[in-house]
Each structure stands twice: as C-alpha cells, then as structure tokens.
Amino acid sequence: MLERLSNKRIVLGVTGSIAAYKAGEVIRRLRDHGAEVRVVMTRAATEFVTPLTFQALSGHPVHEHLLDTRAEAGMGHIQLARWADAILIAPASADFLARLRIGRADDLLMAVCLASNVPLAVAPAMNHQMWSDPATEDNIRVLRSRGVLIFGPDSGEQACGETGAGRMQEPTQLVGQLAEVFETGALAGLHVLVTAGPTQEAIDPVRYLSNHSSGKMGYAVAAAAFEAGARVTLVSGPVCLPVPDGVQHIPVLSAQDMYDAVMPRMEDVDIYIGAAAVADYRPELVASSKIKKDEETLSLTLVRNPDILASVKRRYPASFCVGFAAETDNLEHHARSKLHDKGVDMIAANWVGVNAGDGGFGSDENAIRLVWREGELELAMAPKTKLARELIGHIAQRYQVRHKSALTGDNVLRFTKQPDN
Ligand code: C5P
C-alpha cells in the first residue's frame, strides 16, 4: 500500500502549531516511500520551526511567500498547485481551517490550496477546547462536505498540559492515510492494454524511419492504470524509460510488430489505450545490406501500416478503446473525425509542434482535450504523470457508463466478436 507513494509529488503545508516539529518526521516518512516533497510554511509556522530544517529534510528550498518575485519566477503558487499530486497540511491549525473554509488566498499556502484540484488532506492540531468549539466543528463539516480529507486528530495529552481530542495524528499514520488516496480501485478486476512510444520502420540494417515520441505519456498511463487496480500490459516501441512497477512489458520495434503483439492479447482485454505514435507508413522494401550513397537522390516507396487502433475496435467491439491524437492544427475537428472514423470510444487529443506550449512530444507536461460521443472535457496543462491519473479516472467513468448500458441490453451486438478484416 505504501508503495503507492512512490514517485508521488506531495506539497506539505505546515501551519502555526507546536506540532509543526512533527512535520519533519512526516517529510522523512514520505521520502522513505519514494515521494517527492515540497514544503510550504505559513509565517506562523516559521515561529515554531525554521525553514532550514525542512529544507534539509525535503532536499528543496521551503516556499514561504506569495508575493516574492524570485520565488514566483522559480515555482510560484500556480506551478506548485500544478506540480502536486496531493496536498497534505500537517499540522493544520484552527485558524488555517477557518481560512480554508472561506477560501482566502492571502498567503502562499492558501493560494496553492485554492489553485489546486488534487486531493487535499488536513491533519488538525489544536487545543481540545478549540477543536470542540462549534466554529471549528462547523468549519470541519463544511470542508469535509467539499471533499477535504480530515486525518485525525487523536486524543491524549496535549502540549498545553490538558487532555482531550486535538493532538495531530502520528506521522506514520498520516503517511499511511495519504497513500490510500492513491488507491482508487477504479479499474479493479479489469485488464488494460496500453501501447506507447514510437515505432521504427527499417530502411536497411542500420537505418529506420521513426518519430519524436518519448513514450512518457503512455508509460504514465500504464502506471496510472495499475495504480487504479487494473492488470496492465504495456506494448512499447523503443524508449528510454523504466518500466512502471507491476506492469507486463512487451517491447516491439515496428508497427507490424506492435500489431502482432497487440491482436492476440486483446482476447481478454477490457480497455485498450493506444498512446503509441505508430508510423503510418513503412518502406516497401527493406534493403538487406546498408544502402550506399552512390546516387544524388534516393527515393523510398512507402506502404501503409495497419491502423492498430481501428483494427482493435473492429475486431473487438466490446473493448473500450481510447485513441490519442497529436495535432498541429484544428485539434477539436481532427479529434472528432478520429473518434468517428476509427469507431472508438474516446480520443485524447493534444497539441504538438509550435502550438504545443509547454506540452507535446518529449515534454514532461501536457494538456489534453478529451472527446467522446456525448461530450468533451479539457484536462489542463499538468505533469504527464498527474494528467495520466486524471485521464484514467475519466476512462474508468466512461467505461462504467458504457458497461452499464450494455448490461441492460442496450447494445448486445457490440459484445459479439467480429472477424478481422
Ligand atoms: O490517425 P492517427 O495516427 O492520428 O491516430 C492516432 C491514434 O491512432 C493513436 O491512438 C495511435 O496509437 C493510433 N494508431 C494506430 N495505428 C496506426 C496509426 C495510429 O493504432 N497505424
């Protein structure tokens, strides 16, 4: 379970409470389990512990100020919000909870919380009278109803000498609960096949045609599907990325190899996600020895490769198929055409080339326009790992909707295997 924290990006907010000293232990436990931690301290928190302590423990400078031009140029509140996979506020003071409830954005931590859409957990720490005050109780009720996770507090002896509820939960408990946030189970019991990376189309024994796909998005999608409880097969062209934990990896080179690897495995696949940048054409003839530069010009005749995504959907119409569309122009139009032409269930479209902004091939970030028959959705620019989790959440949702309508007899034909053509 704690391995779910591996490679997760956690913003740890520390507010003004004597329990701030325990935040150091939270950082260490998070890092022990492979998480990357960025600490944001409120001004009051720095009265209890120095930022230097948390800088040493997290391995990164601590973020303190909202209106600091140097900090904003490095990683400002929007970047921090975009960077995070989850936010944990430990300790969360009574004052912080009150301000979170009303949505203030007058310090860095509040602004990060407001600018983020990732899971937000708070670990209250305060005197027991403050915790049981109706104002605090009301704040907690409202925050909980908005989806804020409330970790603790524990009961026991308090720093003020009194006894009661209001002690911050122990760091190991907090870290355990945070790991559960990443255990969605949305794809539990399903088999997901993901294709990723480029393909290589041989010209001769030393040369090939290929493209700039890094495989990062497909690998992140495979990892996110595993995290959501699926059995995952990753059929990948040549990339320089580590295989995500728990994922079955099938390396291939050409589009034909990819087709041959995918088709027989589709028998028991529930969800197919085609994130590979498959070459549309390959040289008609592959020279058996290295082509010499004897001529001024050289012509290659290219022939069409099979469209793996379209073939999968044709042959296995019961599978939920998601395609990617990397476009340099007219994103929306091309995405809708692909949805229709390939007969798939969903298209994740993104910009490449000059229109890509911070995203596209090779980048660690991306933004996606998600299109399906009845709707569409914009997934904002974010690290690919985070975007992949969002994408998997939406795929799981649409899969459940389609599955339910199929089970109620909506479209029985779609569940009959069709011959390949
Ligand atoms: O038609 P286009 O290449 O833009 O479509 C992209 C989508 O189709 C991606 O999901 C890609 O993996 C898939 N594709 C495929 N086989 C091809 C070409 C594209 O599976 N030969």
Side-chain angles (χ1 to χ4, degrees):
M1 164 77 86
L2 285 164
E3 67 273 13
R4 297 278 189 229
L5 287 168
S6 171
N7 296 320
K8 298 301 180 309
R9 296 155 160 173
I10 310 298
V11 164
L12 177 68
V14 185
T15 73
S17 155
I18 181 63
Y21 78 94
K22 289 189 183 173
E25 191 61 19
V26 175
I27 298 169
R28 291 188 53 182
R29 295 284 83 83
L30 286 170
R31 294 192 72 191
D32 283 351
H33 298 295
E36 201 181 328
V37 184
R38 296 289 164 96
V39 180
V40 179
M41 296 177 79
T42 62
R43 196 197 49 75
T46 62
E47 303 283 340
F48 289 90
V49 184
T50 69
L52 194 59
T53 307
F54 294 150
Q55 173 172 323
L57 290 170
S58 68
H60 294 281
V62 167
H63 303 264
E64 293 175 69
H65 308 293
L66 181 59
L67 301 174
D68 174 338
T69 44
R70 258 184 333 164
E72 283 285 308
M75 207 189 213
H77 63 288
I78 301 294
Q79 277 83 3
L80 270 170
R82 194 195 272 181
W83 176 86
D85 291 319
I87 301 175
L88 170 65
I89 315 294
S93 66
D95 179 63
F96 172 83
L97 296 171
R99 295 193 304 131
L100 186 63
R101 183 229 168 116
I102 54 174
R104 296 289 296 255
D106 57 352
D107 70 14
L108 181 62
L109 186 55
M110 299 304 312
V112 170
C113 290
L114 210 58
S116 165
N117 65 351
V118 296
L120 169 62
V122 298
M126 65 196 75
N127 164 275
H128 69 102
Q129 293 291 358
M130 294 169 82
W131 173 249
S132 58
D133 187 276
T136 305
E137 281 182 350
D138 199 39
N139 291 336
I140 289 289
R141 185 184 53 73
V142 171
L143 292 173
R144 194 173 265 136
S145 73
R146 286 185 199 147
V148 176
L149 302 162
I150 316 291
F151 292 172
D154 285 345
S155 289
E157 197 184 327
Q158 300 204 283
C160 55
E162 297 178 22
T163 302
R167 273 167 63 108
M168 187 174 89
Q169 261 192 352
E170 290 306 316
T172 45
Q173 253 180 305
L174 290 178
V175 169
Q177 291 196 79
L178 193 65
E180 281 177 31
V181 166
F182 297 104
E183 179 95 36
T184 66
L187 297 179
L190 300 181
H191 183 190
V192 176
L193 191 150
V194 182
T195 64
T199 63
Q200 287 181 359
E201 309 300 325
I203 298 171
D204 67 17
V206 292
R207 304 182 180 95
Y208 56 80
L209 297 173
S210 192
N211 59 62
H212 292 300
S213 169
S214 65
K216 284 179 186 167
M217 193 66 215
Y219 275 55
V221 166
F226 178 69
E227 207 171 276
R231 172 159 77 88
V232 181
T233 304
L234 173 62
V235 178
S236 170
V239 297
C240 304
L241 295 172
V243 176
D245 285 344
V247 165
Q248 192 199 0
H249 178 238
I250 315 287
V252 295
L253 284 179
S254 69
Q256 188 61 50
D257 292 346
M258 191 171 271
Y259 179 94
D260 294 341
V262 165
M263 279 306 174
R265 290 185 167 83
M266 280 305 299
E267 284 290 341
D268 66 346
V269 166
D270 302 286
I271 299 178
Y272 174 86
I273 306 175
V278 185
D280 292 319
Y281 294 91
R282 66 175 182 277
E284 184 177 30
L285 299 171
V286 181
S288 55
S289 52
K290 188 178 169 191
I291 298 173
K292 297 291 173 204
K293 48 181 176 295
D294 298 333
E295 310 293 337
E296 271 312 302
T297 60
L298 175 70
S299 296
L300 289 173
T301 301
L302 303 180
V303 295
R304 280 291 290 267
N305 272 326
D307 188 316
I308 305 170
L309 176 61
S311 309
V312 162
K313 189 62 190 179
R314 245 193 334 266
R315 179 139 186 224
Y316 298 93
S319 62
F320 187 91
C321 289
V322 183
F324 273 72
E327 305 294 344
T328 52
D329 56 74
N330 236 334
L331 190 69
E332 181 81 41
H333 170 74
H334 290 311
R336 286 256 161 232
S337 312
K338 253 163 231 180
L339 189 74
H340 179 263
D341 297 347
K342 300 189 190 230
V344 294
D345 301 277
M346 200 178 238
I347 290 283
N350 64 286
W351 293 107
V352 288
V354 285
N355 287 326
D358 294 336
F361 282 151
S363 161
D364 287 329
E365 293 203 331
N366 214 354
I368 282 179
R369 183 145 200 90
L370 207 52
V371 175
W372 62 98
R373 225 154 297 149
E374 305 83 9
E376 60 187 61
L377 196 75
E378 192 77 40
L379 306 184
M381 183 70 74
K384 285 180 176 172
T385 47
K386 184 172 160 182
L387 197 65
R389 258 176 241 131
E390 272 186 67
L391 180 62
I392 285 295
H394 291 293
I395 290 173
Q397 222 172 33
R398 300 308 314 164
Y399 173 84
Q400 297 302 347
V401 169
R402 211 200 72 175
H403 204 61
K404 264 191 205 128
S405 71
L407 287 178
T408 52
D410 219 16
N411 192 349
V412 179
L413 259 186
R414 278 147 77 187
F415 282 75
T416 314
K417 189 175 153 187
Q418 304 292 304
D420 197 10
N421 48 17

